[in-house]
Amino acid sequence: MNTINGIMKRPNKKNLPPGRLKITQALKTLLEHKEFNGITTAEIAKNAGVTEALIYKYFSDKRDLLHEVLREYLENYGVQLEWDLKGIKGAINKLRKLIWSHINVYATNRVFARILLVEVRNHPDYYRSETYKLVQKYSDTVLSIIQEGIRDQEIRDDIPPKLIRHGILGSIEQVCLSGIIFGREISPEDLTEDLCEFIFKGIERKDV
Amino acid sequence: MNTINGIMKRPNKKNLPPGRLKITQALKTLLEHKEFNGITTAEIAKNAGVTEALIYKYFSDKRDLLHEVLREYLENYGVQLEWDLKGIKGAINKLRKLIWSHINVYATNRVFARILLVEVRNHPDYYRSETYKLVQKYSDTVLSIIQEGIRDQEIRDDIPPKLIRHGILGSIEQVCLSGIIFGREISPEDLTEDLCEFIFKGIERKDV
Amino acid sequence: MNTINGIMKRPNKKNLPPGRLKITQALKTLLEHKEFNGITTAEIAKNAGVTEALIYKYFSDKRDLLHEVLREYLENYGVQLEWDLKGIKGAINKLRKLIWSHINVYATNRVFARILLVEVRNHPDYYRSETYKLVQKYSDTVLSIIQEGIRDQEIRDDIPPKLIRHGILGSIEQVCLSGIIFGREISPEDLTEDLCEFIFKGIERKDV
Amino acid sequence: MNTINGIMKRPNKKNLPPGRLKITQALKTLLEHKEFNGITTAEIAKNAGVTEALIYKYFSDKRDLLHEVLREYLENYGVQLEWDLKGIKGAINKLRKLIWSHINVYATNRVFARILLVEVRNHPDYYRSETYKLVQKYSDTVLSIIQEGIRDQEIRDDIPPKLIRHGILGSIEQVCLSGIIFGREISPEDLTEDLCEFIFKGIERKDV
DNA sequence: CATGAATGAGCATTCATTCAT
DNA sequence: TATGAATGAATGCTCATTCAT
């Protein structure tokens, strides 16, 4: 089977031009130790072994390149999540797994986490990008699990589903953020445990 | 009495040159909406209504200006804290008030909080600055309250005091950080409550 | 034959980018009337008909540009000297020709002389530059002629060869310096005559 | 007697304002280790213990300050020379003493020498300054000694006196310049000896 | 006699971006 | 598919100089 650790290889990754791949890879590598604004196009090109001009052949500008890198991460996470949720029954169980998956991908992909939480957030062009739609799609996934839970009477129906979603995603960010910014360890298991205890106490339906 | 909200006006603030005052004020204002690296000296000067050169008459460079602004905040908070702790008895009670004071100053001075938590932390020159000594002084204050608590048998003596301090200050940062970065509300009362419950359960001495 | 005054045209000169050529040429021209520190990058760029940024594409900084210009001169002189020494027999005769060549290149290339004698000398980065190695190579050439002279019993063997070299090169500088700084005429023939009389009287071996 | 090493104290030196004295002294000190263009007004003021503004109370600009410092040296040298020539008989003997005096003042006052030989020469405002008149006066002194020598038939009358003067002063500069620029020792006795031998052979009248 | 406050013009250097080939 | 050459608009910072007091 064409998988690595349960992650499907994207088939189109193969036929992307080599220069393009080198560029995105170079940015990822550089982002491990520097913040995006501190990285120059010259640096990216040099690390990629291509010329600066090539960046502008494949990406409309420097931020667009960042969005594309983010998109790769998001797509991988999308595939991963789909895999992770397979065979799980019940909305609460699905949410628990999703929370773990989310925290885990932040814990193991600091670059991904940092791009999403600190690099793109304050820039309006991000919200207009194609990449942002992937985040919205993910957001929709979370919402539909919650709605499934309400329908199946696992989750209280007196809190607006979107508020629940906001609570969940906000909490995840909150517990991960300082770990990401200050480079501290993030323990997916522990954080998931703490978070679920806290969240589910509030949203789970107390059967009559 | 010469006070505002219990904060003594620094008498020397009056005889600082007007240009200097305008510059620090301009930076504070700009920091409300932009991050430090995105603010240019030209912008600061224009907002202050002075020339760029004047910045370098009063500050050795752009970062030094940032440190000076931070110092003003720190000095004010130092005075405020001293006031706040007056008349409070018992280490636990003092710590509770200190935690509230700390969270409150972050909640009401977002610029202060952002400088301290995100702008200066990664830059080594900060740790060599005079300003950093104020932070250390504050850190010492926290430590001496903890030691007082241990001595008076309010606080467990089997955890190293510095570890307790690290836990307290780290928790404060953790709960405030996402509020600060994403510009969300911070409720000093609620956060203090949550935090104290969590912290004091761990450190308070169970009387035999 | 592809020569000018016996100097081989460097073949790689042709395929240097035009902008780079324009920049070095512009600096050479400006150095005829101004000292290096008084020349701004803006001036260089304007004279070259390029933008200031291009200077930094080809040279790491302003002084590096100066070193590159100096290197061109040194390389040309190196080629010239090799040519000039061809077919000359005897160390004393070679030294005489070398002295004339040296003085002559100063006399005809004031810019070259001024860079070498007044612009780079006091700056430590020069001594770390690649260009400086060319000067050392030249220095080695002089030394080996002296050693040849000692071996062939043309030159006294009771003075350390390096001291002899120091005397020769120091004298050349001394007699040329005021001409260069005050823009006076330099007569290679006369100066060589005077210098050789003085130098050779001291170092030539009196046959027993 | 009101002298130091034979140099008359200028009586007006006493009633110059202290700030002015501090400024000129500061520049002299700084010139020992840095070139004039590399010295800032801020530096001068700081070293003098006064404010930058005061410089502009006493001097019209930075170069004017330099000229004033030069003037002090020139005035001192003028007084010294007058003293040195006292009681000497014969133009040739006077010239010899003058040459020694000139070289000696360069040897013992590097700052003076450097100002005169490298700092002011290329700047047209120097030639319009009051200070330049002192140099011309000195030049006149030399000329009149030469004319005295011609009149007394000590010196050849078939070379224009001004050409002789040019030769003498030019030679002095020539032999001192490299010592000054490269910071080498200057030996007044030896250089005077060499120079006089060379010069006097050319200009002395061979009696029939 | 001296200062404190402020400035205008300029400096070397950087960087994302463009375009003809 | 990729490059080499070039740029325009800043950027942080410096410095001689002015002027009211």
Side-chain angles (χ1 to χ4, degrees):
Chain A
M1 196 176 57
N2 192 15
T3 62
I4 297 174
N5 286 336
I7 304 174
M8 305 288 285
K9 264 202 214 144
R10 292 163 57 224
N12 60 326
K13 195 154 197 171
K14 279 229 166 84
N15 45 23
L16 285 175
R20 193 186 198 280
L21 278 156
K22 284 193 241 163
I23 290 166
T24 49
Q25 187 49 50
L27 179 55
K28 282 187 208 169
T29 307
L30 287 167
L31 277 169
E32 276 164 28
H33 301 295
K34 297 179 81 166
E35 61 174 64
F36 181 67
N37 276 330
I39 298 168
T40 68
T41 50
E43 230 171 336
I44 296 168
K46 197 183 163 192
N47 262 270
V50 300
T51 57
E52 286 182 77
L54 198 62
I55 296 173
Y56 293 88
K57 271 271 162 337
Y58 295 122
F59 311 98
S60 59
D61 59 17
K62 202 183 142 197
R63 289 209 84 80
D64 181 46
L65 164 58
L66 181 67
H67 295 156
E68 286 299 292
V69 167
L70 176 55
R71 196 180 64 179
E72 278 185 37
Y73 281 116
L74 283 169
E75 280 173 358
N76 286 342
Y77 177 53
V79 173
Q80 176 72 56
L81 184 66
E82 205 179 340
W83 174 278
D84 283 354
L85 292 180
K86 276 209 164 82
I88 295 191
K89 237 187 148 178
I92 291 288
N93 287 333
K94 281 181 186 160
L95 284 179
R96 185 181 296 268
K97 181 72 183 185
L98 181 144
I99 289 167
W100 178 89
S101 256
H102 194 148
I103 295 176
N104 184 64
V105 82
Y106 280 175
T108 48
N109 290 285
R110 298 302 177 109
V111 170
F112 175 32
R114 278 228 325 278
I115 298 177
L116 203 49
L117 296 188
V118 315
E119 302 289 12
V120 299
R121 261 207 155 75
N122 298 322
H123 293 267
D125 55 355
Y126 164 63
Y127 297 97
R128 287 181 233 113
S129 73
E130 284 299 305
T131 302
Y132 181 57
K133 291 186 182 159
L134 288 176
V135 173
Q136 288 180 305
K137 202 183 128 204
Y138 173 60
S139 219
D140 289 346
T141 304
V142 180
L143 189 63
S144 64
I145 298 180
I146 292 167
Q147 286 167 331
E148 178 195 327
I150 293 174
R151 194 196 54 213
D152 297 349
Q153 302 192 317
E154 277 192 275
I155 294 176
R156 290 167 56 178
D157 60 0
D158 57 341
I159 311 176
K162 289 193 175 175
L163 198 61
I164 294 176
R165 179 181 63 184
H166 183 260
I168 293 172
L169 297 179
S171 309
I172 293 172
E173 273 174 10
Q174 170 141 357
V175 298
C176 292
L177 191 65
S178 72
I180 288 156
I181 288 188
F182 301 135
R184 286 197 276 260
E185 275 293 301
I186 294 178
S187 159
E189 280 69 30
D190 294 353
L191 288 182
T192 304
E193 209 35 54
D194 294 355
L195 218 54
C196 287
E197 169 118 4
F198 173 76
I199 292 169
F200 293 155
K201 239 175 210 147
I203 65 168
E204 225 168 332
R205 184 184 171 114
K206 272 70 176 163
D207 278 330
V208 192
Chain B
M1 196 174 57
N2 193 14
T3 63
I4 298 175
N5 286 335
I7 304 175
M8 302 290 286
K9 263 199 214 146
R10 291 164 56 222
N12 60 326
K13 194 157 199 168
K14 277 230 167 81
N15 45 24
L16 286 175
R20 193 188 197 278
L21 252 38
K22 283 192 239 164
I23 291 166
T24 49
Q25 187 49 51
L27 179 55
K28 283 186 206 169
T29 307
L30 286 165
L31 277 169
E32 278 164 26
H33 302 295
K34 297 179 82 165
E35 61 174 63
F36 180 69
N37 277 331
I39 298 169
T40 67
T41 50
E43 231 171 334
I44 296 168
K46 199 182 163 190
N47 263 270
V50 301
T51 54
E52 283 184 76
L54 199 63
I55 297 174
Y56 295 89
K57 272 262 135 60
Y58 296 122
F59 310 98
S60 58
D61 58 18
K62 206 183 136 195
R63 289 208 84 80
D64 181 47
L65 165 58
L66 181 67
H67 293 157
E68 285 298 292
V69 167
L70 175 56
R71 197 181 64 178
E72 279 185 37
Y73 281 116
L74 282 170
E75 280 173 359
N76 286 341
Y77 176 52
V79 174
Q80 176 71 58
L81 183 67
E82 205 179 339
W83 175 276
D84 284 354
L85 291 180
K86 274 209 165 81
I88 296 191
K89 236 186 150 178
I92 292 287
N93 288 333
K94 279 181 187 161
L95 284 178
R96 185 182 296 268
K97 180 70 184 187
L98 181 144
I99 290 167
W100 178 88
S101 256
H102 195 148
I103 295 176
N104 184 63
V105 80
Y106 280 176
T108 49
N109 290 288
R110 298 304 177 108
V111 170
F112 175 33
R114 277 231 322 282
I115 297 176
L116 203 48
L117 295 187
V118 316
E119 302 290 10
V120 299
R121 261 209 156 74
N122 295 325
H123 292 267
D125 55 355
Y126 164 61
Y127 296 97
R128 287 181 234 114
S129 73
E130 285 299 305
T131 302
Y132 180 57
K133 292 186 182 160
L134 288 175
V135 172
Q136 288 180 305
K137 202 182 128 204
Y138 173 59
S139 219
D140 289 347
T141 304
V142 179
L143 188 64
S144 64
I145 298 179
I146 293 169
Q147 286 166 329
E148 178 196 328
I150 294 174
R151 194 196 55 213
D152 298 349
Q153 302 192 319
E154 278 191 274
I155 294 177
R156 293 169 53 180
D157 60 2
D158 57 341
I159 312 175
K162 289 194 175 172
L163 198 62
I164 295 177
R165 178 179 65 183
H166 183 260
I168 292 174
L169 297 179
S171 309
I172 292 173
E173 272 176 12
Q174 169 138 358
V175 298
C176 292
L177 191 64
S178 73
I180 287 155
I181 288 188
F182 302 134
R184 285 198 276 260
E185 274 293 302
I186 293 178
S187 159
E189 281 70 28
D190 295 354
L191 288 183
T192 303
E193 211 33 56
D194 294 355
L195 219 53
C196 288
E197 168 114 8
F198 173 75
I199 292 169
F200 293 153
K201 236 173 213 151
I203 66 166
E204 226 167 332
R205 185 185 169 109
K206 273 69 173 161
D207 277 329
V208 193
Chain C
M1 196 174 59
N2 193 15
T3 62
I4 297 175
N5 285 335
I7 304 174
M8 302 290 286
K9 265 199 212 144
R10 292 164 55 222
N12 58 329
K13 195 157 198 168
K14 277 230 166 81
N15 45 25
L16 285 176
R20 194 187 196 280
L21 252 37
K22 284 192 241 164
I23 289 166
T24 49
Q25 188 48 53
L27 179 55
K28 283 185 207 168
T29 308
L30 286 165
L31 277 168
E32 278 164 25
H33 302 296
K34 296 179 81 164
E35 62 173 63
F36 180 68
N37 278 330
I39 297 169
T40 67
T41 50
E43 231 171 335
I44 297 167
K46 199 182 164 189
N47 263 270
V50 301
T51 55
E52 284 183 75
L54 199 63
I55 296 173
Y56 294 89
K57 273 262 137 55
Y58 296 121
F59 310 98
S60 58
D61 59 18
K62 206 183 136 195
R63 289 208 84 80
D64 181 47
L65 164 58
L66 181 67
H67 294 157
E68 285 298 293
V69 167
L70 175 55
R71 196 180 63 178
E72 279 185 37
Y73 282 116
L74 282 169
E75 280 172 358
N76 286 342
Y77 176 54
V79 173
Q80 176 70 57
L81 183 66
E82 206 178 340
W83 174 277
D84 284 354
L85 292 180
K86 275 207 164 83
I88 296 191
K89 236 185 150 179
I92 292 287
N93 288 333
K94 279 181 189 160
L95 285 177
R96 184 182 298 269
K97 179 72 183 185
L98 181 143
I99 290 167
W100 178 88
S101 256
H102 195 147
I103 296 175
N104 184 63
V105 80
Y106 280 175
T108 49
N109 290 287
R110 299 302 177 109
V111 169
F112 175 33
R114 277 232 321 282
I115 297 177
L116 203 48
L117 295 187
V118 315
E119 302 290 9
V120 299
R121 260 208 157 73
N122 294 324
H123 293 267
D125 55 352
Y126 164 62
Y127 296 97
R128 286 181 234 113
S129 72
E130 285 299 306
T131 302
Y132 180 58
K133 292 186 182 159
L134 289 175
V135 173
Q136 289 180 305
K137 203 183 127 204
Y138 174 59
S139 219
D140 289 346
T141 304
V142 180
L143 188 64
S144 64
I145 298 179
I146 293 167
Q147 287 167 329
E148 178 196 327
I150 294 173
R151 194 196 53 214
D152 297 348
Q153 302 192 317
E154 276 192 275
I155 294 177
R156 293 168 53 179
D157 59 2
D158 56 342
I159 311 176
K162 288 194 176 173
L163 197 62
I164 295 176
R165 177 179 66 184
H166 183 261
I168 293 173
L169 297 179
S171 310
I172 293 173
E173 272 175 12
Q174 170 138 357
V175 298
C176 291
L177 192 63
S178 72
I180 287 155
I181 287 189
F182 303 135
R184 286 197 276 259
E185 274 293 302
I186 293 178
S187 158
E189 280 70 28
D190 294 354
L191 289 181
T192 303
E193 211 32 55
D194 293 355
L195 220 52
C196 287
E197 169 115 8
F198 173 76
I199 292 169
F200 293 154
K201 241 178 209 145
I203 66 168
E204 226 166 332
R205 184 184 169 109
K206 274 70 173 161
D207 277 328
V208 194
Chain D
M1 195 176 57
N2 193 16
T3 62
I4 297 175
N5 287 335
I7 304 175
M8 303 290 286
K9 263 201 214 145
R10 291 165 57 224
N12 59 328
K13 196 157 196 168
K14 277 230 166 83
N15 45 22
L16 284 175
R20 193 185 198 281
L21 279 156
K22 284 192 240 163
I23 290 166
T24 50
Q25 186 49 50
L27 179 56
K28 282 186 207 168
T29 307
L30 287 165
L31 277 169
E32 277 164 27
H33 301 296
K34 296 178 84 166
E35 61 175 66
F36 181 67
N37 277 329
I39 297 169
T40 67
T41 50
E43 231 171 334
I44 297 167
K46 198 183 163 191
N47 262 271
V50 301
T51 57
E52 285 182 76
L54 198 63
I55 297 172
Y56 293 88
K57 273 270 165 328
Y58 294 121
F59 311 98
S60 58
D61 59 17
K62 203 183 141 197
R63 289 208 84 80
D64 180 45
L65 163 58
L66 182 66
H67 295 156
E68 287 298 293
V69 167
L70 176 55
R71 198 181 62 179
E72 278 184 37
Y73 281 116
L74 283 169
E75 280 172 358
N76 286 341
Y77 177 54
V79 174
Q80 177 71 56
L81 184 66
E82 206 179 337
W83 174 279
D84 283 354
L85 292 180
K86 274 207 164 83
I88 295 190
K89 231 180 156 185
I92 292 288
N93 287 333
K94 279 182 187 159
L95 284 178
R96 184 183 297 268
K97 179 72 181 185
L98 182 145
I99 289 168
W100 178 88
S101 256
H102 195 148
I103 295 176
N104 184 64
V105 80
Y106 279 175
T108 50
N109 289 286
R110 298 302 177 109
V111 169
F112 174 33
R114 277 230 322 281
I115 297 176
L116 202 49
L117 295 187
V118 315
E119 302 290 10
V120 299
R121 261 207 155 73
N122 297 322
H123 293 266
D125 54 355
Y126 164 62
Y127 298 95
R128 287 180 233 113
S129 72
E130 285 299 306
T131 302
Y132 181 57
K133 291 186 183 158
L134 289 175
V135 173
Q136 288 180 304
K137 202 184 129 204
Y138 173 60
S139 221
D140 289 347
T141 303
V142 180
L143 189 63
S144 64
I145 298 178
I146 293 167
Q147 287 166 330
E148 178 196 328
I150 294 174
R151 195 196 54 214
D152 297 348
Q153 301 192 315
E154 275 192 275
I155 294 175
R156 291 167 56 178
D157 60 1
D158 58 341
I159 310 175
K162 289 194 175 173
L163 197 62
I164 294 176
R165 179 180 63 184
H166 183 261
I168 292 173
L169 296 180
S171 308
I172 292 172
E173 273 175 10
Q174 170 140 356
V175 299
C176 292
L177 191 64
S178 73
I180 287 155
I181 288 189
F182 302 136
R184 287 197 275 258
E185 275 293 302
I186 294 177
S187 158
E189 280 70 29
D190 294 354
L191 289 182
T192 304
E193 208 36 52
D194 294 355
L195 219 52
C196 287
E197 169 117 6
F198 174 75
I199 292 169
F200 294 154
K201 244 182 206 140
I203 65 168
E204 226 167 333
R205 184 185 170 113
K206 273 77 175 153
D207 279 328
V208 192

